[in-house]
Amino acid sequence: MTTVRLFRSYPLAVQVLLVNQLGVNTAFYLLIPYLAGYLGKDLGLSAAAVGVVLGVRNLSQQGLFLLGGSASDRLGARGVIIAGCALRSVGFGLFAFGTSLPVLLAASVLSGLAGALFNPAVRSYLSHEAGERRAEMFSLFNVFANTGMLIGPLLGSVLLLVDFQASAIGAALIFAVLTVAQVMVLPARGVPRPRTSVLTDWREVLTDRRFVLFTGALTGLFALQNQLYLVLPMLAESFTGTAISVSVIFLVTTVASLALQVRITRWCDGRWSRGRAISTGLAVMGGGFAVTAIAATAMPGQPASSPGETALRLAPVLVTAFALSVGVMLAQPFVYELIPAFGRDDLSGTYFGVFYLASGVTAAGGNALIGWVTDLAGTDLPWLPSVLCVAIGASSALAVLVVHRRSGIGPRPTTDEETSWHTPTS
C-alpha cells in the first residue's frame, strides 16, 4: 500500500489532522528559525532580551504540556486542538506587529501555550481514531511532520526577501486556516464527566511504574533527535567550512522519511515486537554517530577547496543524518502507539502530556550535556561529541530491552510464550 493509499484509508478527521501537522510544522519553521535574527538585528534587542523571549516561548510550551494533556482529557481533544491552533495564530500575528518587549513576551507565551495544548491533544485524538492501526497512522504522522519541517524554512527564506513581517503573517494565516478546517471537519463528541480530580489523574500517571520506566528508557530518543539541530549542523559546517551544507542534512532526512517511513513501520509491524523495534531504532540512531566520530579524527583542518571536496567531507554527516532518520522511523511510531495503551482511555491526553514534558526536559538536558562536551573537546578531541551520542544510543537501547523483559512495558502480553508490545485486540 502506498503512502497516498494508506492516507486515504483513514477517516476524514484523521486525514485532516495529518495535513494539520504538515501545516503546523510548515508555519512553525517558517518563523521560528528566523525569529532570533529579527529580534536582534531588526528590532535591536540585546542578546539577553532575545534569550528571554525565546526562552519564555520554550518554557511556556514544555512546562505546560501536562496541563494541555489534562485539558484534552477533560474538555475534549477537539476543542483543545482548535484552541491551540487559534492561540498560535494570534501569537504569531503578534510577532508580526509587536515591537515592544512586553508584546513580544506575550506573543511567546501564547505561541508556547498553543503548542502545549494541541501537541498532546492531537496525538490523543489520533490514537483514539486510529484504533488498532495506530502504528501505521503515526508513521504517516511523521511523514507529514517531516515534510512540514522541510517546506517551512524554504518558504520562510522566500518570504524573508520581503521582510520578517511577511513570514510571521504567513505563519499566522496558516494556523488560522487550520483552525477553520478543524472547526468544520472534526466531529464534536461528548466528553464523559471526570470521575477523579486533576491531581488524582496526575498521581495515577506519575505513579504508573511501567510508564515511568518506559519514558525513562527513552532518554536516548529525546536527546539524539535534537542533534539534528545541534551536533550535525556544527559538524557539517566544521567539515565543509560553509553553513550552506546544513540545509542538505534536512533534505536528506525529509526525503528518507517520505520514501521509507511507512514501509519500515509496516515491515516491523509484521515481524518484530515493539520492544525490538524501539531498541533497534535507538541503537541505529546512536550507531550512526560512529561515522562522524571516525571522520572527525581524519578530517583535515583547512576548508574544502572545491565542490567535490565539500561533498566528500559532507558525506559522513549525511550518513549519520540518514541513520538518525532511520532510527527514528523504526522507533517513534511504536512509541506513540504504546503511550495511550498504558492507562485508561480517558487519560490518554495526560499520558501524552507527561511524556512530552519528560521529553522536553530530557532534550534540554541532553543538549546542555552534549554542548558542554563539544566545548570541552575543542579541536583536540573533535570525535568526543559523536562518541557520546553513540554511548547515549547504546545505553538507551539496552535500557529499553531490560525494561521490556523485566516489566512488560506496553499492553500486557496475550501469551506466555512471547512478550509482545502489540495493542490489545479486545
Side-chain angles (χ1 to χ4, degrees):
M1 184 182 294
T2 64
T3 299
V4 174
R5 287 176 59 196
L6 180 61
F7 171 76
R8 294 177 62 184
S9 72
Y10 284 98
L12 180 60
V14 173
Q15 294 179 19
V16 167
L17 288 180
L18 291 173
V19 175
N20 176 85
Q21 193 59 31
L22 185 150
V24 165
N25 277 13
T26 296
F28 182 85
Y29 288 99
L30 187 157
L31 181 144
I32 294 299
Y34 310 106
L35 181 58
Y38 166 71
L39 296 175
K41 294 179 182 178
D42 294 4
L43 298 187
L45 297 183
S46 66
V50 172
V52 168
V53 172
L54 298 180
V56 164
R57 191 211 66 79
N58 190 62
L59 182 62
S60 298
Q61 180 161 320
Q62 303 293 349
L64 296 176
F65 272 135
L66 184 52
L67 291 176
S70 292
S72 173
D73 290 334
R74 292 175 170 269
L75 304 177
R78 177 184 183 270
V80 175
I81 293 169
I82 293 170
C85 279
L87 282 177
R88 181 63 65 84
S89 181
V90 173
F92 280 8
L94 287 177
F95 278 128
F97 299 106
T99 56
S100 66
L101 187 58
V103 174
L104 294 171
L105 288 174
S108 291
V109 170
L110 288 177
S111 59
L113 173 61
L117 289 174
F118 65 68
N119 275 328
V122 164
R123 287 153 180 82
S124 176
Y125 193 105
L126 287 172
S127 69
H128 285 296
E129 290 292 320
E132 305 259 340
R133 301 173 62 201
R134 286 176 187 160
E136 278 193 331
M137 185 276 300
F138 279 122
S139 72
L140 277 179
F141 187 87
N142 279 356
V143 170
F144 279 87
N146 288 335
T147 303
M149 288 171 58
L150 177 65
I151 295 174
L154 295 177
L155 182 58
S157 63
V158 172
L159 291 175
L160 279 177
L161 296 176
V162 180
D163 56 24
F164 177 82
Q165 281 73 20
S167 291
I169 292 171
L173 287 176
I174 290 174
F175 274 104
V177 170
L178 294 176
T179 303
V180 173
Q182 292 154 9
V183 171
M184 295 178 63
V185 176
L186 297 183
R189 296 191 176 96
V191 182
R193 184 182 179 130
R195 295 172 294 171
T196 56
S197 68
V198 172
L199 291 179
T200 300
D201 290 347
W202 290 358
R203 188 182 307 113
E204 180 176 338
V205 176
L206 293 172
T207 56
D208 185 336
R209 180 176 176 272
R210 295 163 64 239
F211 174 69
V212 171
L213 289 172
F214 173 73
T215 303
L218 290 171
T219 299
L221 178 66
F222 311 143
L224 292 181
Q225 267 188 293
N226 276 268
Q227 301 322 304
L228 189 61
Y229 312 102
L230 181 62
V231 167
L232 291 183
M234 289 193 300
L235 289 174
E237 190 167 355
S238 173
F239 288 177
T240 65
T242 173
I244 298 176
S245 60
V246 174
S247 60
V248 184
I249 297 173
F250 296 97
L251 178 63
V252 166
T253 56
T254 302
V255 171
S257 177
L258 289 172
L260 300 175
Q261 175 67 86
V262 172
R263 290 178 173 85
I264 287 175
T265 301
R266 296 192 73 207
W267 189 91
C268 292
D269 193 27
R271 293 170 175 80
W272 289 357
S273 70
R274 285 0 186 194
R276 183 177 179 185
I278 295 171
S279 61
T280 301
L282 288 163
V284 171
M285 290 173 70
F289 283 91
V291 178
T292 49
I294 294 170
T297 63
M299 200 67 65
Q302 66 272 17
S305 58
S306 66
E309 186 181 354
T310 298
L312 186 63
R313 292 187 179 196
L314 185 60
V317 179
L318 297 183
V319 170
T320 299
F322 179 76
L324 186 63
S325 180
V326 170
V328 171
M329 286 188 269
L330 282 165
Q332 197 170 66
F334 299 114
V335 170
Y336 285 161
E337 177 195 28
L338 292 175
I339 291 170
F342 280 95
R344 309 191 314 260
D345 285 344
D346 59 353
L347 275 185
S348 61
T350 304
Y351 271 93
F352 273 111
V354 171
F355 182 83
Y356 271 96
L357 177 60
S359 69
V361 172
T362 305
N367 276 351
L369 173 62
I370 294 170
W372 175 76
V373 169
T374 300
D375 290 337
L376 182 67
T379 57
D380 296 328
L381 304 171
W383 46 266
L384 191 56
S386 293
V387 169
L388 176 59
C389 290
V390 173
I392 290 173
S395 59
S396 195
L398 180 61
V400 167
L401 286 177
V402 170
V403 172
H404 172 46
R405 291 174 180 173
R406 293 186 177 180
S407 302
I409 287 178
R412 296 298 182 185
T414 55
T415 70
D416 295 331
E417 297 175 1
E418 178 183 1
T419 302
S420 172
W421 282 13
H422 283 276
T423 304
T425 55
S426 58

